[in-house]
Amino acid sequence: MIVACLVTPAAAAEAPEFAAGLPPLFEGAADPAAMWQILLASLLVVVCLSAVIVWILSALQKAQRANRRTAAAIDAALNNMSLGIVIVDAQPRLAFCNDAYLELYHLDRSEVRPGMHGREMVELRRRSCRIETGVDDLLRDVLSEGGQINDLPDGRAIVVKHRVLPNGGVVSTHEDCTEARQLSRQLASTKRFLESVVDNIPVCVTAKTPGDSRYILVNRAFETFMRTPRDRILGKRAEDIVSVTPSVSVDELDRAALATPSGRLRTEFSAFGNGAERIIDSNRVVVRNEDDEPEFVLSLFEDVTERRQLSRELEKTKKFLEMIIDHVPIALDVKRVKDGKYLFVNHTAEKIFNSSREAVVGLTAEEIYGSAAKLIVERDNTAIRKREQTLEEQPLQTKNGLRLFLTRRMPVLDETGEPQYLITTNADITERRQTESRMAHMAYHDGLTDLPNRAAFIKALTQMIDACAGSDEEFAVLSVDLDRLKEVNDVFGHSVGDQLLIEASRRIQDASRGGVVARLSGDEFGLIIDGPQPQAALEVAERLIEAMSDDFIIDGRSVRTGATVGAAIFPRHGADPAALLANAGVALMRAKARGRRTVGVFDAETDQQIRDRRALHQDLANALKSGQITLYYQPQALTGHGVIEPEFIGFEALARWFHPVRGFVSPADFIPLAEESGLIVELGEWILREACREAASWAKPMQVAVNLSPAQFQHGDLVGLVHSILLETGLQPGRLELEITEGVLIHDFDRGLSLLRRLKALGVRIAMDDFGSGYSSLTYLQAFPFDKIKIDRTFVLNLGRNTQSAAIIRAMIGLGHGLDISIVAEGVETQEQLTFLAHENCDQVQGYFLGKPAPIADFAAIVGQPVAPVPARRIS
């Protein structure tokens, strides 16, 4: 410390000791007082300087303390930051490193020395975290805007950024961006997904700013619709894109959407482009931010031109269908289930209700019919309970009288499966049933005499056998042959012959006195006579011969004929229709051998024909094993215009037996034998296999028809057999046609129908053979969709002889065409028959006039087979 004493000049004068003590500097001074003034002034300066120095030192100490406090606060702040911070000077030497940096890289404070070089710091964290990347690579992009991202082995990602200070130093920040990076990737993936979804939506999607209405987003559908790439759309306004011109202002629609309270606006407008007008369905949604301010306008729209056109077409179709429904000849009504009120009634239904539809709609059945509605309501409720279609035939009284209707009731279920409506149709089938009745009568009866035909006779005979089986009852089967009928036809013509048959049938009926009488063929009649046998049969036969001995007066001419009768008695001479008819025929032949107008009774013991038949049966079994059976083929052709050389389309395979002793054996002889003995199953399989094998070798894909016996349907797996043969031979299923008779369905209708459906499912064609000769053909045509109907040859042979045959054939052709079934006429033997069939639009023909059955080699040119066919294999 400096101490200063101040003495005034007067005091100094009064104190000589003070003057004596002056330093030598002041000795000799002219004026001591002045000298003292100088001395005092100097002391004063020294004191002031000392005070300034003291103040400066004190201020420096305060500043140092403040700097230390600031540095401590900065250190505390930097150490509490989540970012790792490193500061180096311009050398570059470490000036600062916060705790977050040490934690990021798992470093200890003792490892970081003050003044460390910057590269040493990088090397230190590289070793600590086991980073394989070199130091230079770690510092490559640290000065960039995004910095350098270092992927650590432990899965973390650290972003490092360097910022250069004005003094040349560097501030380095280190931030763990692992979570942010994952979120960024998820966000990018989500964005790509949403963009992909929006881009693949078939509806046009756009987003525009609400202020200037510029596009900020469009999808691919919008690009396609506008026929403009999106880079030429984004940032543009709607009016800047001229490829499609809307009929309204798009901006006005945007403003209208912004003005709606809900922020939604749906409109429909037209757009013109590429010379066509399109209808656009638009839906706008205003998207707002957290401050409820419009952020952008989202628009979704699609081209609904085709939809609107379809809608209009649907409406037209609906009206058209309503018009059709209203005018169809089937009565239709719709009733609501919950209250039973009629909702719709077409024009035809008015005759069912006997009232106008206006008076019916809105009413219930009780309100329309009163107490008579009970039966209708019960049947309606039955269909509703079953939840399925019900079908019934019922007579209804109409203004045109009592008519027969086919009624269908079909409940309509809602989405829960409960009945909601009931649709009822009533089809007037009066005429149809009358026609079917007439056709059924034709199937059962002879067209000329109106007597039962062979099928009806066999049915009656079967019933008679069943009734008498197991009892002592007997009855006789008579086979009656008219004498000289051919001579009458030759001399007087077929019209007189037909009248003779009609008159003869009446006399036979009178003579039978209640017995069953049928016309079995041209001049053959059959009778069933009950009573003691053979007396009853002989009495009837004698009366019949006597009745036929009187002349017939026809068209003023006297025509003479006679009758020869053969009789077989049940059960002595047979226990089934075939045996009784055959034996009665044998007896007839024996009677003819004795002379006309005689009666013959079957004698089982002495009749050589029976023994021949049995021998023939045994020979047939051997023939199947020794290969005596072969196949002949008869051509089938399109009728065309009745020309002599028609277009051949296929063949029917027919079995032929060449006996080593008897020679040629007629199929009419051995086929019934095969059916009686059961050999028909084995024979039928061989015929089917050989016919398919032969047809598969033809160069032309012509059809081959094979007859199936009813016995084949009753034994074995017929469907599996046909399938395996088709696979074995390689024949296309569509080329195989299976011909059946109604006998297939007589014995077991359900099983036969099921087998036919399974056969048809294989792709083969099914034909009804001998149509018109049976008694249930119409029922079967209704039950199964046959591909072809073959008219029995007897009708064709009678063409030109009687008008009934022509009418029957014409009816059959019309029936087949009405059912979309091809018609084939068998037994065509003359040009006149072919011409008639062609004129009546018969589809196909078969018969001797086109070609007799022969080996396939005779038809090699037709099937495109220049070489001899493959020989048939023996049955083994």
Side-chain angles (χ1 to χ4, degrees):
M1 176 179 290
I2 300 174
V3 181
C5 296
L6 299 177
V7 183
T8 64
E14 295 176 355
E17 64 277 12
F18 180 76
L22 290 170
L25 177 62
F26 298 100
E27 291 182 4
D31 191 353
M35 295 302 295
W36 278 105
Q37 290 178 352
I38 294 170
L39 180 59
L40 290 174
S42 299
L43 289 173
L44 182 59
V45 171
V46 170
V47 171
C48 290
L49 290 174
S50 299
V52 171
I53 292 172
V54 170
W55 180 81
I56 290 173
L57 292 175
S58 176
L60 288 173
Q61 290 176 352
K62 291 180 180 180
Q64 289 175 354
R65 288 195 296 273
N67 287 337
R68 284 194 295 273
R69 287 196 298 272
T70 301
I74 293 173
D75 288 347
L78 293 177
N79 282 320
N80 284 299
M81 292 181 68
S82 60
L83 293 175
I85 298 177
V86 175
I87 303 175
V88 296
D89 55 21
Q91 274 65 36
R93 298 291 178 177
L94 178 63
F96 176 79
C97 172
N98 71 347
D99 295 338
Y101 176 84
L102 301 177
E103 292 177 3
L104 279 176
Y105 297 109
H106 307 301
L107 296 173
D108 190 79
R109 178 66 68 178
S110 61
E111 297 179 81
V112 181
R113 305 186 311 277
M116 288 181 66
H117 194 276
R119 293 183 67 86
E120 290 184 88
M121 289 290 293
V122 176
E123 182 63 29
L124 180 62
R125 64 182 167 90
R126 193 179 74 83
R127 290 197 306 271
S128 175
C129 295
R130 299 177 181 177
I131 302 173
E132 296 181 359
T133 308
V135 174
D136 292 335
D137 293 332
L138 292 174
L139 296 173
R140 180 178 297 114
D141 296 322
V142 293
L143 293 175
S144 65
E145 182 68 24
Q148 169 78 23
I149 297 179
N150 297 329
D151 293 314
L152 303 186
D154 59 5
R156 292 180 300 149
I158 309 297
V159 58
V160 181
K161 298 181 182 179
H162 285 189
R163 296 294 180 266
V164 180
L165 300 176
N167 62 358
V170 176
V171 175
S172 176
T173 61
H174 301 253
E175 182 180 7
D176 188 341
C177 63
T178 306
E179 184 176 354
R181 199 178 188 191
Q182 291 175 349
L183 290 175
S184 177
R185 289 173 178 170
Q186 293 176 0
L187 179 61
S189 176
T190 302
K191 180 181 178 183
R192 287 193 301 270
F193 171 73
L194 293 177
E195 287 177 347
S196 175
V197 170
V198 172
D199 218 30
N200 288 280
I201 292 176
V203 177
C204 296
V205 179
T206 68
K208 293 191 290 185
T209 56
D212 54 6
S213 294
R214 296 186 181 277
Y215 290 103
I216 58 175
L217 179 143
V218 296
N219 69 342
R220 186 182 298 124
F222 185 74
E223 286 185 280
T224 303
F225 175 74
M226 298 299 292
R227 300 190 301 279
T228 305
R230 71 180 69 189
D231 56 358
R232 293 174 56 187
I233 299 176
L234 296 176
K236 303 290 183 61
R237 297 165 58 89
E239 56 266 23
D240 298 333
I241 308 170
V242 296
S243 58
V244 176
T245 305
S247 59
V248 296
S249 173
V250 176
D251 292 343
E252 289 181 3
L253 295 178
D254 292 342
R255 287 191 291 271
L258 290 167
T260 59
S262 63
R264 295 178 178 272
L265 179 66
R266 184 162 188 170
T267 56
E268 190 172 287
F269 57 89
S270 299
F272 302 87
N274 198 23
E277 178 183 3
R278 312 300 293 176
I279 301 174
I280 308 302
D281 183 23
S282 171
N283 192 6
R284 282 172 166 73
V285 179
V286 179
V287 180
R288 299 179 179 275
N289 58 21
E290 61 274 8
D291 297 327
D292 200 29
E293 296 175 345
E295 191 167 358
F296 55 87
V297 178
L298 183 65
S299 299
L300 297 90
F301 62 90
E302 59 179 324
D303 186 345
V304 295
T305 307
E306 285 76 13
R307 189 186 306 170
R308 292 294 179 266
Q309 291 174 347
L310 288 175
S311 179
R312 288 193 292 269
E313 290 296 327
L314 180 61
E315 186 64 27
K316 291 180 181 178
T317 304
K318 179 182 176 183
K319 293 180 180 178
F320 177 69
L321 291 177
E322 288 178 350
M323 182 180 67
I324 292 177
I325 292 173
D326 206 35
H327 291 83
V328 291
I330 297 177
L332 183 146
D333 62 74
V334 180
K335 186 170 74 172
R336 189 163 50 209
V337 172
K338 66 178 182 180
D339 55 12
K341 291 184 178 181
Y342 290 98
L343 303 180
F344 176 80
V345 174
N346 73 346
H347 179 72
T348 310
E350 291 181 345
K351 67 179 181 180
I352 301 294
F353 292 98
N354 291 319
S355 181
S356 66
R357 65 179 123 185
E358 291 79 8
V360 173
V361 173
L363 299 180
T364 64
E366 293 87 347
E367 293 171 336
I368 297 171
Y369 298 107
S371 59
K374 182 178 180 181
L375 181 59
I376 297 175
V377 173
E378 287 180 356
R379 290 174 175 175
D380 288 352
N381 291 337
T382 299
I384 293 170
R385 284 194 302 272
K386 289 183 176 180
R387 288 175 167 79
E388 61 183 19
Q389 176 179 286
T390 60
L391 186 68
E392 65 174 346
E393 294 183 9
Q394 57 179 345
L396 295 175
Q397 187 67 40
T398 70
K399 60 183 179 181
N400 297 324
L402 190 65
R403 308 287 292 178
L404 183 64
F405 286 88
L406 178 64
T407 302
R408 287 183 174 88
R409 293 178 174 88
M410 173 58 73
V412 179
L413 308 182
D414 59 17
E415 60 275 4
T416 63
E418 293 299 320
Q420 187 173 12
Y421 304 103
L422 180 67
I423 300 175
T424 303
T425 62
N426 291 279
D428 190 339
I429 59 172
T430 308
E431 285 77 11
R432 186 200 307 175
R433 288 293 180 260
Q434 291 173 350
T435 301
E436 290 177 353
S437 177
R438 289 192 296 270
M439 295 294 290
H441 183 82
M442 292 170 60
Y444 280 107
H445 292 77
D446 176 56
L448 177 63
T449 64
D450 203 37
L451 288 176
N453 59 12
R454 177 179 290 272
F457 185 77
I458 292 175
K459 181 180 180 182
L461 185 55
T462 302
Q463 292 173 347
M464 196 71 175
I465 292 172
D466 293 340
C468 297
S471 67
D472 295 334
E473 296 290 332
E474 290 184 327
F475 65 87
V477 175
L478 304 185
S479 180
V480 180
D481 183 75
L482 293 184
D483 299 333
R484 301 174 59 206
L485 178 62
K486 185 177 183 304
E487 295 179 11
V488 172
N489 287 331
D490 293 340
V491 174
F492 300 105
H494 287 284
S495 61
V496 174
D498 291 343
Q499 288 296 320
L500 175 61
L501 285 170
I502 294 173
E503 293 298 328
S505 66
R506 292 172 183 169
R507 294 188 184 184
I508 294 173
Q509 284 181 295
D510 293 338
S512 69
R513 295 182 180 178
V516 177
V517 180
R519 185 187 179 197
L520 303 183
S521 62
D523 57 357
E524 182 183 359
F525 293 82
L527 286 79
I528 301 176
I529 305 301
D530 198 5
Q533 303 299 336
Q535 294 83 358
L538 292 174
E539 290 176 3
V540 172
E542 292 297 336
R543 285 199 304 270
L544 192 152
I545 292 173
E546 183 179 355
M548 301 297 291
S549 63
D550 296 335
D551 291 353
F552 292 84
I553 306 302
I554 301 174
D555 294 339
R557 298 185 181 93
S558 178
V559 179
R560 180 179 293 275
T561 186
T564 305
V565 181
I569 300 171
F570 173 87
R572 291 182 239 169
H573 304 150
D576 59 81
L580 288 171
L581 278 173
N583 292 338
V586 169
L588 175 63
M589 293 177 62
R590 186 183 306 112
K592 283 185 175 182
R594 293 199 304 266
R596 294 177 178 177
R597 301 182 182 182
T598 59
V599 180
V601 179
F602 181 77
D603 185 353
E605 295 181 359
T606 60
D607 198 304
Q608 182 63 37
Q609 188 175 2
I610 296 298
R611 289 192 293 271
D612 291 344
R613 186 178 180 85
R614 291 175 179 172
L616 189 64
H617 177 273
Q618 187 63 38
D619 290 344
L620 177 61
N622 295 329
L624 293 175
K625 300 176 182 178
S626 59
Q628 298 173 16
I629 307 296
T630 188
L631 288 185
Y632 274 31
Y633 294 85
Q634 186 173 29
Q636 297 174 335
L638 296 176
T639 305
H641 300 288
V643 295
I644 298 178
E645 297 182 358
E647 178 183 354
F648 293 104
I649 60 171
F651 294 86
E652 180 179 0
L654 301 170
R656 293 295 183 263
W657 181 12
F658 293 94
H659 194 281
V661 176
R662 299 172 184 266
F664 176 77
V665 181
S666 171
D669 294 332
F670 74 82
I671 293 297
L673 278 177
E675 291 180 340
E676 292 173 12
S677 62
L679 293 173
I680 192 66
V681 177
E682 182 181 354
L683 176 62
E685 179 179 346
W686 179 84
I687 293 172
L688 179 63
R689 178 174 281 104
E690 290 303 312
C692 291
R693 183 178 67 89
E694 176 60 46
S697 69
W698 299 343
K700 295 181 181 179
M702 306 184 79
Q703 292 182 349
V704 61
V706 177
N707 289 278
L708 294 182
S709 168
Q712 292 177 267
F713 283 77
Q714 301 297 323
H715 300 86
D717 182 10
L718 178 60
V719 179
L721 174 66
V722 173
H723 189 206
S724 64
I725 289 176
L726 289 173
L727 294 176
E728 173 188 335
T729 61
L731 182 68
Q732 296 179 357
R735 293 179 57 195
L736 175 62
E737 183 175 282
L738 301 177
E739 297 184 3
I740 68 160
T741 61
E742 61 189 17
V744 169
L745 299 171
I746 288 176
H747 299 93
D748 189 341
F749 178 81
D750 292 336
R751 184 175 187 275
L753 190 61
S754 174
L755 290 174
L756 287 178
R757 287 172 176 166
R758 290 173 58 195
L759 286 170
K760 194 172 180 65
L762 295 178
V764 302
R765 297 169 58 85
I766 308 295
M768 168 67 82
D769 197 11
D770 298 336
F771 182 73
S773 63
Y775 58 92
S776 297
S777 300
L778 294 178
T779 302
Y780 303 145
L781 292 183
Q782 184 180 11
F784 182 77
F786 287 93
D787 297 291
K788 185 182 291 186
I789 292 174
K790 301 189 74 173
I791 300 175
D792 188 69
R793 60 182 291 110
T794 57
F795 295 104
V796 178
L797 292 176
N798 285 325
L799 282 175
R801 299 178 183 177
N802 59 68
T803 57
Q804 289 83 356
S805 294
I808 292 172
I809 291 176
R810 190 178 294 112
M812 290 180 182
I813 293 173
L815 176 64
H817 289 173
L819 297 174
D820 197 22
I821 301 176
S822 297
I823 301 297
V824 182
E826 293 186 294
V828 178
E829 297 183 358
T830 66
Q831 177 65 51
E832 289 76 14
Q833 293 170 350
L834 180 60
T835 302
F836 172 83
L837 293 170
H839 182 266
E840 296 298 331
N841 293 321
C842 182
D843 300 297
Q844 301 171 23
V845 288
Q846 178 180 345
Y848 281 12
F849 189 69
L850 297 144
K852 295 182 179 181
I856 196 63
D858 292 359
F859 306 106
I862 297 177
V863 300
Q865 193 81 359
V867 297
V870 181
R873 293 172 293 175
R874 296 164 61 95
I875 300 178
S876 58

